[in-house]
Amino acid sequence: MKKFLNSPDTVLSDALAGVAAAHPSLRVDTVNRVITRAEPARAGKVALISGGGSGHEPLHGGFVGTGMLDAACPGEIFTSPVPDQMHAAAKAADSGGGVVFVVKNYTGDVMNFRLAAELAEDDGIEVQTVLVDDDVAVQDSTWTAGRRGTGATLFVEKIAGALAERDAGLAAVGDIGRQVNAATRSFAVALTACTTPGAGKPGFELPDDEMEVGVGIHGEPGRSRQKLQPAREIVAAALDAILGDLPARPDARTIVMVNGLGGTPLIELYLLYGEVAAQLADRGVHISRNLVGNYVTSLDMAGASFTVCQADERMLDLWDAPVNTPALRWGP
């Protein structure tokens, strides 16, 4: 596999140098490997911090900015950041209002963020944690106890980040993040494996006429391996899994994301979204807001994930609030 590299060992540090050069609105601490907003937060504002293994760009560093995260901690490819990184991020981002950690439900992330919270609290920084576990494909996987955290991470960061921007208190910001996670489900399908820079070859073999149904964002196996199907049938199976797990709310106004896993052309993502929109309408589900594109990726994996959030009016209002990050921008 061909990749643009200097060395497999310097991918993260080289990429962070590029982030710093491309985005003057961010400050990149290359020693501690922490990305923060360049402008300090207002005194007393709750800081929202997330992180995880690299390879899922723009998650998480691409969502640092006004209306979303105050800081992000990138680990090595598909590897959790260490507690010292998260502790450094908490100290850099805290302005007296405390910190909310947004943590995807992977064993290393959960453990390391818990240790970082203890370190931060020893420094007098109050911490709340929002655990994201929206993936309905499998209950337990290679790196999790319980469900994996995937697309809902973006929804939590956007909605909780908007509330923090309005100077809500620590408990309120944590609560809205947990409400968003509880209202959101995701499901992913892969057509190819991804290739990590260190390995130089795909993480698993997938014949040309097969697909991995319910795949994880690190390439973890899903529910099953099946013959490749038409897009409408793939979408129907994903929506069956998602809606079958959400509580029935006929009046719900949903936020829907069709997310590319890194190697899927945008034309195919729009094709998939067209199927999602038509099939949700047939099921009586109203889409109020949507995203189509690459937001939570898996390096160069050809595939897509589908995320549905049953939003109430407050969530929609916070979703619509201005956001200005490298990867998500709208409003004044």
Side-chain angles (χ1 to χ4, degrees):
M1 298 294 291
K2 297 177 182 177
K3 290 185 176 293
F4 292 107
L5 304 173
N6 292 316
S7 163
D9 297 330
T10 63
V11 170
L12 178 55
S13 57
D14 291 346
L16 288 177
V19 169
H23 300 293
S25 63
L26 303 180
R27 177 175 290 113
V28 181
D29 179 346
T30 56
V31 175
N32 291 304
R33 292 184 171 176
V34 173
I35 302 170
T36 59
R37 303 185 194 184
E39 293 295 323
R42 299 181 302 279
K45 178 190 175 297
V46 172
L48 204 66
I49 298 174
S50 194
S54 296
H56 306 303
E57 289 73 25
L59 196 78
H60 293 274
F63 299 130
V64 175
T66 304
M68 287 190 78
L69 296 176
D70 292 87
C73 310
E76 294 291 342
I77 300 293
F78 293 174
T79 302
S80 171
V82 298
D84 286 349
Q85 276 180 271
M86 303 162 182
H87 182 210
K91 290 192 293 183
D94 178 56
S95 62
V99 166
V100 172
F101 283 151
V102 179
V103 185
K104 301 188 302 300
N105 189 33
Y106 295 95
T107 302
D109 290 23
V110 172
M111 177 181 67
N112 289 342
F113 269 105
R114 183 182 299 123
L115 292 172
E118 293 173 0
L119 293 171
E121 287 168 349
D122 288 343
D123 289 336
I125 301 172
E126 191 174 357
V127 177
Q128 288 216 2
T129 297
V130 176
L131 185 68
V132 181
D133 58 355
D134 56 306
D135 184 12
V136 299
V138 291
Q139 180 64 30
D140 298 290
S141 67
T142 310
W143 296 318
T144 65
R147 292 178 168 176
R148 302 175 291 210
T150 58
T153 312
L154 182 154
F155 289 36
V156 170
E157 291 175 357
K158 173 63 186 81
I159 292 173
L163 189 61
E165 213 67 60
R166 295 178 181 180
D167 291 328
L170 182 64
V173 175
D175 284 347
I176 194 69
R178 286 182 281 272
Q179 291 170 31
V180 172
N181 177 67
T184 307
R185 303 290 189 274
S186 297
F187 193 92
V189 178
L191 306 183
T192 69
C194 61
T195 301
T196 61
K201 61 182 180 180
F204 56 85
E205 294 298 324
L206 192 58
D208 289 343
D209 64 343
E210 293 185 358
M211 59 184 182
E212 187 75 32
V213 179
V215 72
I217 58 173
H218 308 92
E220 312 99 301
R223 288 187 173 186
S224 62
R225 185 167 291 186
Q226 301 177 12
K227 292 296 183 182
L228 186 61
Q229 300 170 2
R232 67 177 62 89
E233 295 179 23
I234 294 171
V235 168
L239 293 180
D240 283 345
I242 290 170
L243 299 180
D245 199 82
L246 281 169
R249 285 185 54 195
D251 61 334
R253 301 175 62 190
T254 60
I255 306 171
V256 173
M257 177 171 68
V258 173
N259 169 67
L261 296 179
T264 305
L266 194 56
I267 190 172
E268 295 178 32
L269 296 180
Y270 276 115
L271 186 154
L272 290 169
Y273 182 78
E275 289 293 337
V276 169
Q279 293 188 32
L280 285 179
D282 288 344
R283 298 173 191 230
V285 178
H286 175 71
I287 301 177
S288 294
R289 308 289 188 274
N290 69 75
L291 285 177
V292 180
N294 291 296
Y295 297 99
V296 183
T297 63
S298 183
L299 291 171
D300 55 351
M301 182 183 287
S305 66
F306 309 91
T307 300
V308 177
C309 174
Q310 290 184 330
D312 57 25
E313 289 298 328
R314 185 178 187 223
M315 291 180 191
L316 289 175
D317 175 58
L318 292 167
W319 180 265
D320 291 340
V323 59
N324 189 356
T325 72
L328 204 66
R329 298 180 186 179
W330 58 69

